[in-house]
Amino acid sequence: MEKILNILKALTFVFFISTLSSAEEYSKINKNTELSFYTGMFDYSDQGKKSTLFGIEHQNDELTRKSFLGTLSPVTGGLITSDNAIYLYTGVQAQYNMGKLKITPSFTPGVYEQGDGKDLGHPLEFKSEVQLSLDLSKSSMLGMSYNHISNASIGEKNPGVNNYMFNFLKKF
């Protein structure tokens, strides 16, 4: 199991590095890729299992659509905790602009591997998140977000986790 986790970590690292270099090459042509780098506390409400988390998220403005629900776009990302838990996800987010302030709720199903972290009861987990961010410039934002990850009771147990993060978003 530890060998599989090390392989997943290595693949995740390679994916993130390749995403960054691809984003730089892509930015020479378009400014439509947004990457969010974040860090925070995984399961902050459980004193026994809380741990630090690090993650990255990708959103492409070319796939953004305006609807009666707001401005919708697909979002993909992943996080890893200091307890070697990994969550890879993809889903949809909405964005509501209020001048320099943006509110971004999202829903992203994903795959969870507990590593040495908390057993969430099932590999399929669902993340509901809300992010509040402030424009720093035309191409960068600083934000804070809160999310809840749980399996919607499809597993034998469903403890769920509550997380908070500090985000740096950059358009390339």
Side-chain angles (χ1 to χ4, degrees):
M1 184 59 131
E2 188 173 326
K3 188 174 184 179
I4 291 171
L5 282 175
N6 288 335
I7 291 170
L8 277 174
K9 286 181 199 175
L11 288 174
T12 303
F13 179 74
V14 168
F15 168 75
F16 291 148
I17 296 302
S18 67
T19 300
L20 291 175
S21 63
S22 296
E24 287 175 21
E25 291 170 17
Y26 186 75
S27 71
K28 294 175 185 171
I29 302 167
N30 297 307
K31 294 265 186 199
N32 296 329
T33 296
E34 180 180 280
L35 291 178
S36 174
F37 304 92
Y38 57 90
T39 186
M41 189 61 63
F42 184 82
D43 203 17
Y44 72 87
S45 54
D46 183 348
Q47 293 301 323
K49 285 296 183 178
K50 71 179 179 179
S51 62
T52 306
L53 68 82
F54 300 95
I56 188 169
E57 192 170 271
H58 172 264
Q59 184 261 331
N60 187 333
D61 277 346
E62 284 187 7
L63 302 176
T64 298
R65 301 290 181 260
K66 300 216 183 268
S67 78
F68 69 95
L69 296 173
T71 303
L72 301 176
S73 65
V75 62
T76 302
L79 65 86
I80 187 165
T81 72
S82 57
D83 289 331
N84 298 317
I86 298 172
Y87 182 63
L88 303 174
Y89 57 88
T90 190
V92 65
Q93 72 178 18
Q95 190 170 82
Y96 304 100
N97 296 331
M98 296 179 204
K100 288 187 164 263
L101 191 63
K102 294 185 178 24
I103 298 174
T104 310
S106 64
F107 177 74
T108 53
V111 178
Y112 177 76
E113 170 58 48
Q114 86 178 53
D116 297 326
K118 188 169 188 172
D119 180 6
L120 296 184
H122 200 274
L124 176 61
E125 298 287 329
F126 304 95
K127 177 170 72 78
S128 301
E129 180 171 307
V130 64
Q131 176 178 297
L132 186 63
S133 54
L134 179 67
D135 282 339
L136 298 176
S137 70
K138 288 184 179 182
S139 64
S140 61
M141 293 184 284
L142 193 60
M144 183 173 181
S145 56
Y146 165 84
N147 70 45
H148 177 77
I149 300 173
S150 74
N151 63 38
S153 297
I154 60 175
E156 289 185 25
K157 64 182 192 172
N158 183 23
V161 292
N162 298 304
N163 314 306
Y164 65 83
M165 288 85 51
F166 298 98
N167 313 343
F168 177 72
L169 299 93
K170 180 75 175 162
K171 286 192 178 204
F172 294 93

